[in-house]
Amino acid sequence: MADAAATDAHLPRWSKALLVIGAVLLALVLLLVLFPWDMLRGPVNRYVSQKTGRHFEITRRLDVKLGRTTRVLMDGIEFANPDWAQDRFLVKADAAEVDVHLLPLLLHRRIELPLVKLTKPELGLQVEPDGRRTWALGSDTKDEKNVPQIGAMVVDQGTAHYVAHAQGADVRAEFAMRREAAGNPASLPLQFKASGRWKDQPFNAEGRTGDVLSLNGPQRHPFPAEVRLTADSTSLRANGSIANLAELDGADVRFQLGGQDLAQLYKLVGVVLPNTPRYAVAGHLTKQGEVWTVSEIDGRLGRSDMAGTLAFDQGGSRPSLQGQLRSRMLDFEDLAPVIGIKDDPAAKKAAAKVAAATPAGKKPKKPKDPNRKVLPDTPLDVSRLKTMDADVRIDASRIVNAKGMPLDRMAVHVHLKNGLLVLDPLDLGVAGGQLAGSMRIDANAKPVRVQARLDGRDLVMSKLVPASKTMRESIGKLQAQIDLAAGGTSVRQLLGSSSGRLAVLMGEGEISNLLLEFAGLDGGEILKFFTEGDQRVQVRCGVAAFDVQNGLMTSRALLFDTTDTMFNGAAKINLATEGLDVYMQARPKDKSILSLRSPLKITGTFGDLHPSLDKAALAKRAAAMVGLSAVNPLLALLATVETGPGRDADCQGIMKAAAAPRAEARVEQTAPPVAGAGGKSVPVPTSRMGAGPAPGAEDKRADASADKPRTASAREELTPQGTPKAANAP
């Protein structure tokens, strides 16, 4: 009975204790809820100013809503910047609402602000190259722990000034909210205008965005935006959304970009692109991780069009570019700055002035300059080849304005790795035919090293030099082989230091007979031209093969054989000085009178050629004419009679010897057919490399052995008699 009484007495005491505790907690809650937080405004201002080392003040009223995520309401706020900053205030606003996660702040001193709302703010944001930031809230502005993690920011209207010297950035922005559109995730209620410098380039921008900006982590909804930007001559219009603004991940943007020069984008975004004429391009931009992708490209570069897809990966040790570009028409003038060809407006203006002053129907005669250089000497800028890698395919279906080059189309696979640029395969449409192979450019070498290995097939003669009327009326196809290696900083230096082999081969065709007769000064055949008109002569074969050593081209074989005349000679061409020394000897196959045939010499430079006839040979003919005229004036004509001692050359043998081994099989298809039974020609069967001569070819080679072309060494040229003599390189 006593125990029961004690128990009954004890229970009320616990109940009273619980009631007291509950009452205290309730009082504390009521106190916290009803606490006049504004009384702490002064102490809070002093405490924050002391801890941060800069002025902080809540100017009108303070209120706090406690919880795991505590909400701090400030009516009027001023928070100064450090002394080293340009702007006085980090933030100055009519009102601010800041959510704070208490546990990370109390346990780890980590400042997490999931939401910041500002009313009419003025923001002054600045970051220095040494890591100091104005928005770091501790006395040490380099310490990452003092940088608040802001989840989302909402503003209505105000201004912002951002300065980052390391980025060359000094940006001022104004923004304002359209209240009627707020709350709709798909709307663009916040309008803005910005101007200043980015990457030290002036720019202006304006547009619209969403109202809730997530600065850390993904957006609750993708952040929409419309932007119109101009930077110098570059303009951008874009609209789309970004899922994660902090890392620009999940970008999905449609854009239109235009400007004077693609290379200017390197200053703005760091993407290496060549110098170009004015461009305009539209496309679809996305970003996943470190990979930016531009698809549905539709643009113009000068007069050229382009389409395709490009992907730029910033994730590796070196940025890389991959993709494919296609063009229906490529204007070669748009690529002139890339390959070092100058576009001289002053020269064009001077030429136009001369043309305007010239009477109609008369062409101005250009004065010859023996020192004029033809090969481009503009320095090739290869420094950017070391800043990124690339794997891009380029296909141009049609090429125009190829600077006098008979370039029709282009397809190339561009490989760039660690400063080594490889174009393989390289497939060019040249003069109705094909020039294919590979090229290597090593930007790591000093000077830059270039290697080219190219084969030309079915190059149409009439298209090779379209400005020449004689060539336009010629019929025939050429084969070519180029194996060269060089070093230099311009096209002229590269050619002037090149070494290797070069060969051009021609099979059957037709060429102007007048050209051949003038080359040999055959007066009788020239008279036929005036009475019967020019007639094309059948070409059996042509060979021009050179060994190249340090820019000096020395002929290995130089032959042009027609049914009328065989031309045999030697040549030296110095690509470093642009000098040349060519010696061609004509051996006619027909009889003619009034012939003063003499070996043809061409000297001078690429910009100032000097063709002439061998004076010694002409002197012999003249002496014979004088001697015979002393006996009888009519006998003087005997010295001009051409008996036609020339014979057909062994075209197939000479072409196989001149060609590179890899082209030997093609030579048999290019060379003229050999004579068969009854005098009829039969085609030469295609054989594998190293196979013996075709049946019936041995006798023909034996008959033509006397007329095989002599090959001059690096210090020799052919004399009129066909024997070598010493000569200096041009």
Side-chain angles (χ1 to χ4, degrees):
M1 297 291 294
D3 293 338
T7 302
D8 292 340
H10 183 67
L11 287 175
R13 286 198 296 270
W14 279 107
S15 298
K16 291 177 181 179
L18 291 174
L19 289 173
V20 171
I21 293 172
V24 170
L25 291 175
L26 180 60
L28 288 174
V29 170
L30 291 175
L31 177 64
L32 293 175
V33 171
L34 301 176
F35 183 80
W37 291 100
D38 193 53
M39 294 176 56
L40 299 180
R41 181 158 47 94
V44 168
N45 291 343
R46 291 189 294 272
Y47 178 80
V48 175
S49 298
Q50 181 182 2
K51 286 296 184 180
T52 60
R54 39 185 158 148
H55 172 73
F56 175 84
E57 183 179 2
I58 302 170
T59 58
R60 290 189 292 273
R61 184 173 179 275
L62 169 67
D63 195 9
V64 177
K65 307 297 182 182
L66 291 176
R68 290 187 61 184
T69 300
T70 297
R71 179 169 298 174
V72 181
L73 305 173
M74 295 168 280
D75 188 10
I77 180 175
E78 293 180 355
F79 192 8
N81 266 325
D83 295 337
W84 48 263
Q86 292 185 21
D87 295 297
R88 180 181 176 186
F89 292 105
L90 169 66
V91 57
K92 181 179 180 181
D94 284 0
E97 179 180 327
V98 180
D99 289 358
V100 182
H101 286 161
L102 288 181
L103 290 180
L105 179 62
L106 297 175
L107 299 179
H108 307 291
R109 291 185 57 245
R110 187 172 66 246
I111 305 172
E112 294 184 4
L113 310 177
L115 177 64
V116 175
K117 291 184 178 180
L118 300 174
T119 302
K120 296 183 179 179
E122 298 177 13
L123 304 176
L125 309 174
Q126 185 169 337
V127 57
E128 292 297 290
D130 60 4
R132 291 177 294 166
R133 284 152 287 198
T134 58
W135 56 91
L137 301 184
S139 58
D140 184 2
T141 56
K142 296 181 183 179
D143 191 347
E144 289 287 343
K145 293 181 180 179
N146 292 327
V147 177
Q149 297 182 13
I150 301 177
M153 178 174 285
V154 178
V155 296
D156 58 353
Q157 69 180 61
T159 63
H161 183 204
Y162 175 74
V163 178
H165 294 110
Q167 297 173 307
D170 190 335
V171 181
R172 295 185 182 273
E174 299 177 359
F175 42 86
M177 182 74 72
R178 294 188 308 167
R179 295 292 181 183
E180 67 276 7
N184 182 359
S187 67
L188 302 170
L190 187 65
Q191 296 179 322
F192 73 90
K193 290 184 178 181
S195 62
R197 303 184 72 84
W198 179 263
K199 299 289 186 180
D200 290 324
Q201 303 299 307
F203 82 95
N204 289 279
E206 62 179 20
R208 302 183 299 163
T209 70
D211 57 344
V212 180
L213 181 62
S214 292
L215 301 179
N216 286 312
Q219 299 275 144
R220 183 178 179 184
H221 301 285
F223 184 71
E226 288 182 1
V227 178
R228 296 177 297 278
L229 178 146
T230 58
D232 196 10
S233 64
T234 302
S235 64
L236 171 68
R237 296 177 63 92
N239 66 85
S241 63
I242 301 176
N244 188 337
L245 194 65
E247 300 177 359
L248 297 180
D249 202 13
D252 188 350
V253 179
R254 299 278 179 177
F255 71 91
Q256 294 175 326
L257 179 68
Q260 292 288 351
D261 190 343
L262 270 175
Q264 293 179 356
L265 292 181
Y266 180 74
K267 302 175 184 178
L268 297 173
V269 298
V271 179
V272 180
L273 293 168
N275 293 104
T276 66
R278 188 167 187 84
Y279 67 93
V281 59
H284 184 198
L285 174 68
T286 61
K287 183 178 186 288
Q288 297 296 331
E290 296 294 329
V291 180
W292 293 86
T293 301
V294 185
S295 58
E296 303 176 34
I297 296 175
D298 181 12
R300 300 198 68 82
L301 185 68
R303 296 203 310 147
S304 307
D305 66 272
M306 69 182 76
T309 299
L310 291 173
F312 184 65
D313 188 353
Q314 297 175 299
S317 58
R318 185 194 311 268
S320 65
L321 182 69
Q322 294 183 327
Q324 183 174 10
L325 291 175
R326 301 178 303 277
S327 175
R328 293 185 298 272
M329 188 192 78
L330 177 64
D331 191 334
F332 203 78
E333 289 184 350
D334 301 334
L335 301 180
V338 181
I339 61 175
I341 298 178
K342 293 182 179 179
D343 186 11
D344 191 345
K348 289 183 177 180
K349 188 175 181 179
K353 185 180 292 187
V354 172
T358 303
K362 293 185 179 181
K363 294 183 179 180
K365 188 175 182 180
K366 297 181 180 179
K368 290 187 177 181
D369 180 5
N371 299 318
R372 183 172 69 93
K373 301 297 183 182
V374 175
L375 300 177
D377 197 30
T378 303
L380 300 174
D381 184 6
V382 297
S383 60
R384 295 176 184 173
L385 296 181
K386 303 178 184 179
T387 62
M388 65 181 294
D389 296 334
D391 185 355
V392 180
R393 294 182 180 273
I394 302 174
D395 190 351
S397 302
R398 179 177 171 234
I399 295 178
V400 298
N401 294 330
K403 297 291 182 180
M405 295 182 293
L407 195 60
D408 307 320
R409 58 173 181 80
M410 175 179 68
V412 59
H413 191 177
V414 180
H415 304 265
L416 177 59
K417 187 74 172 179
N418 298 327
L420 177 62
L421 175 64
V422 179
L423 308 180
D424 186 13
L426 174 62
D427 186 357
L428 305 177
V430 178
Q434 179 188 38
L435 185 64
S438 64
M439 290 186 65
R440 293 166 57 91
I441 302 175
D442 188 355
N444 299 305
K446 295 183 179 180
V448 177
R449 295 293 301 172
V450 177
Q451 291 178 306
R453 183 181 175 92
L454 302 169
D455 283 348
R457 306 183 182 186
D458 300 329
L459 310 180
V460 180
M461 286 183 60
S462 59
K463 296 182 179 181
L464 277 174
V465 189
S468 170
K469 181 179 179 181
T470 303
M471 290 296 291
R472 286 200 306 267
E473 295 178 354
S474 300
I475 300 174
K477 294 184 178 181
L478 303 178
Q479 317 298 324
Q481 295 105 45
I482 302 172
D483 280 295
L484 294 175
T489 59
S490 67
V491 173
R492 184 184 302 171
Q493 287 187 15
L494 288 171
L495 292 176
S497 65
S498 58
S499 295
R501 293 163 64 100
L502 179 67
V504 179
L505 314 175
M506 177 183 176
E508 292 183 328
E510 294 181 358
I511 195 168
S512 169
N513 187 44
L514 178 62
L515 179 65
L516 299 180
E517 305 307 337
F518 266 117
L521 283 184
D522 191 333
E525 295 294 336
I526 294 173
L527 288 176
K528 288 183 181 180
F529 165 76
F530 290 108
T531 57
E532 302 177 9
D534 186 18
Q535 296 181 358
R536 286 194 291 260
V537 65
Q538 295 293 321
V539 177
R540 299 187 66 253
C541 63
V543 177
F546 293 87
D547 291 319
V548 186
Q549 186 66 36
N550 294 326
L552 179 61
M553 298 174 57
T554 304
S555 59
R556 189 168 67 251
L558 195 58
L559 170 74
F560 192 72
D561 188 27
T562 73
T563 56
D564 179 85
T565 305
M566 182 181 75
F567 289 87
N568 178 21
K572 294 184 183 68
I573 301 174
N574 194 322
L575 298 174
T577 63
E578 300 191 17
L580 73 165
D581 191 352
V582 181
Y583 195 95
M584 294 295 295
Q585 185 174 7
R587 298 201 174 198
K589 301 178 183 180
D590 57 354
K591 296 178 176 60
S592 177
I593 62 171
L594 301 178
S595 175
L596 295 175
R597 290 193 185 273
S598 167
L600 177 66
K601 297 179 66 175
I602 303 176
T603 58
T605 65
F606 295 172
D608 187 20
L609 296 177
H610 296 288
S612 62
L613 299 175
D614 191 295
K615 296 179 181 178
L618 285 176
K620 289 182 180 180
R621 292 257 185 175
M625 291 177 64
V626 171
L628 291 173
S629 65
V631 179
N632 187 329
L634 294 178
L635 293 179
L637 295 177
L638 292 177
T640 68
V641 174
E642 182 62 76
T643 59
R647 287 177 285 179
D648 289 347
D650 176 15
C651 287
Q652 184 174 320
I654 294 171
M655 293 172 72
K656 289 182 68 173
R662 68 178 185 277
E664 186 174 314
R666 292 210 311 276
V667 168
E668 294 179 344
Q669 298 175 353
T670 304
V674 299
K680 294 182 179 180
S681 62
V682 294
V684 177
T686 302
S687 63
R688 57 183 176 82
M689 186 166 53
E698 291 84 349
D699 296 336
K700 190 170 185 63
R701 292 182 185 178
D703 293 338
S705 60
D707 293 312
K708 277 191 176 182
R710 292 294 305 268
T711 303
S713 67
R715 295 180 177 272
E716 295 176 340
E717 66 178 14
L718 290 182
T719 66
Q721 291 76 25
T723 59
K725 71 174 183 180
N728 294 324

